[in-house]
Amino acid sequence: MMPRSERLVAALLRWRWVWQQRMGWPGAAGVALLLAAVAAAAAGQALQAQRETLLRQHVARLDASVKLASTPPGPDARDAAWLAIPAEGQRGAQLSTLLSLLKRSRAEAHGAQYRLEDTEPGLRRLRVTLPVRGSYASVRSLVAELMNTLPNASLDGMDLEHEAEGGTLSGQLRLSLFFRRDPR
């Protein structure tokens, strides 16, 4: 009896002979084309699966962008800046803050002049003229504290003179405090 490996070799050789006699090279080409078609079908299915995955991801991104676009935007920066200006009803509190800053400062400020003006677009401007006297450091710290504490204040001008005696300055600070007009 033949060993198993020899029987296998003999069967393959018989199959090859039968193939060459009945099919020939056109049969081999047909089998090759059949194998190529099976491989192409398998690759097509893999490509279709990948295409569906990419399509789902794209649809998810579009849905997310539609949700972002449909949510109402946050407050406009111009509205936030407008609302940061105190309303006209808060004028007394702002003046009280100004007076307490003047009392706490090392610079002397006696007798302020106030003038209220209407300005466009819906603002009221309170012009304040303050006579001041003190050292350079005390006047400078007063101005810095005013600007930092009152965000609706602007420094319109400063006229200072050096006095002959000592290192003191005397002069005027011109400020503007802005307020939103009450809608009527």
Side-chain angles (χ1 to χ4, degrees):
M1 190 142 192
M2 279 204 234
R4 187 175 196 168
S5 62
E6 289 179 11
R7 278 188 283 162
L8 181 62
V9 170
L12 286 175
L13 288 174
R14 251 189 327 269
W15 185 76
R16 182 177 149 212
W17 182 82
V18 170
W19 181 271
Q20 286 176 347
Q21 294 299 317
R22 296 200 176 152
M23 303 294 252
W25 67 266
V31 169
L33 285 175
L34 178 68
L35 290 175
V38 168
Q45 287 178 350
L47 287 175
Q48 180 66 23
Q50 187 178 12
R51 181 175 169 235
E52 289 174 1
T53 302
L54 288 173
L55 187 61
R56 282 190 197 98
Q57 290 173 353
H58 185 67
V59 166
R61 274 183 283 177
L62 285 175
D63 285 345
S65 68
V66 166
K67 287 177 185 173
L68 287 176
S70 66
T71 58
D76 188 5
R78 293 170 293 189
D79 292 337
W82 178 253
L83 293 175
I85 299 172
E88 193 174 16
Q90 296 174 337
R91 192 176 344 148
Q94 292 284 310
L95 287 175
S96 173
T97 303
L98 174 67
L99 293 175
S100 69
L101 288 174
L102 292 173
K103 285 179 185 175
R104 285 193 317 225
S105 75
R106 288 178 285 149
E108 298 173 23
H110 299 289
Q113 296 175 359
Y114 303 99
R115 188 174 72 224
L116 187 62
E117 302 172 348
D118 285 337
T119 60
E120 297 299 321
L123 290 175
R124 289 233 165 135
R125 176 185 214 171
L126 181 64
R127 290 190 183 258
V128 181
T129 304
L130 294 169
V132 293
R133 186 170 188 269
S135 68
Y136 171 78
S138 64
V139 172
R140 182 175 176 222
S141 68
L142 172 64
V143 171
E145 197 168 0
L146 285 171
M147 296 296 109
N148 290 330
T149 307
L150 300 170
N152 59 324
S154 72
L155 181 62
D156 296 336
M158 180 183 321
D159 296 322
L160 297 174
E161 293 179 4
H162 190 277
E163 292 182 357
E165 54 187 64
T168 61
L169 300 172
S170 64
Q172 291 183 353
L173 294 179
R174 290 185 308 281
L175 303 169
S176 289
L177 297 172
F178 291 93
F179 300 95
R180 284 182 283 135
R181 265 192 260 175
D182 293 329
R184 292 181 182 156

